[in-house]
Amino acid sequence: MENRLGSFEIDGKAYPLNYSVRIAQNVDAVAANKQEGAYGIYRQNVELLSLLLEDGAEFSRVILGEKVQAPTLEQLLLLLTPADNTRVVQAIRDALERGG
């Protein structure tokens, strides 16, 4: 995978994560929008992951010529559990560092 891309594995498949100028404002908006409730931060993290996955798929298509179908936010909310939050946070941090 391209060095600037992070990755996140779901059901044995690795998906690229990308942090670019194209989505930086959206990432900032999600990060600033504090979610309510016991699992609010978890949902916020999944929303951030979703943006990075979408950008990773687009980067792969445009730059690398690879067709990647990123899971949607709804799919992520169904597939991931609160126990995945540590992995989600680590993947987000890695992608931000690579793109930052």
Side-chain angles (χ1 to χ4, degrees), residues 24 29 73 82 89 96 100:
L73 175 58
V89 169
L96 295 179

Side-chain angles (χ1 to χ4, degrees), residues 45-65:
N45 290 339
V46 174
E47 289 176 12
L48 290 169
L49 179 66
S50 178
L51 288 172
L52 295 167
L53 284 165
E54 289 173 16
D55 207 51
E58 190 65 9
F59 182 93
S60 294
R61 183 185 70 76
V62 172
I63 305 301
L64 304 177

